[in-house]
Amino acid sequence: MNVWIQVADTAGAALLLIGAAICLLGVIGMLRLPDVLSRSHAATKPQTLGMILVLAGVALRLRGGMELATLGLIAFFQMLTGPVASHLVARSAYRTGQVDHGELLFDELDEQLTDGK
């Protein structure tokens, strides 16, 4: 077995483990954090980073052209849809009054919503 293949397999396994741990921390954050905005942060940032690391680890293990293209598409759509969905959840929570305005440092959306009334 080639030394570089062994190094790539070890690095891939390490990336898989680190990515899974980051995803687990994101899930724990979603369960433990108190409000919608904090939970949406925990649902997006660690999950996206963890998924990218898992996909990088799988890419180091597979090394095939078609598999790498598929993993690239998965990473692209994960980075595209995760933050957008979290933003929409946070914005709808704000508009339905589920956000405590006293805990916000800056509330730029309040000025946009009250100007039309």
Side-chain angles (χ1 to χ4, degrees), residues 6-16 57 60:
Q6 184 68 29
V7 169
D9 285 343
T10 305
L15 285 175
L16 280 168
L60 284 174

Side-chain angles (χ1 to χ4, degrees), residues 5-64:
I5 293 175
Q6 184 68 29
V7 169
D9 285 343
T10 305
L15 285 175
L16 280 168
L17 184 65
I18 293 169
I22 290 175
C23 287
L24 178 66
L25 288 175
V27 169
I28 292 170
M30 285 176 54
L31 294 174
R32 301 280 298 170
L33 291 173
D35 60 342
V36 175
L37 298 179
S38 299
R39 287 181 183 168
S40 68
H41 175 79
T44 305
K45 302 245 175 158
Q47 296 299 334
T48 303
L49 177 63
M51 180 62 72
I52 298 302
L53 289 176
V54 166
L55 292 175
V58 171
L60 284 174
R61 302 279 300 194
L62 290 180
R63 295 181 207 89

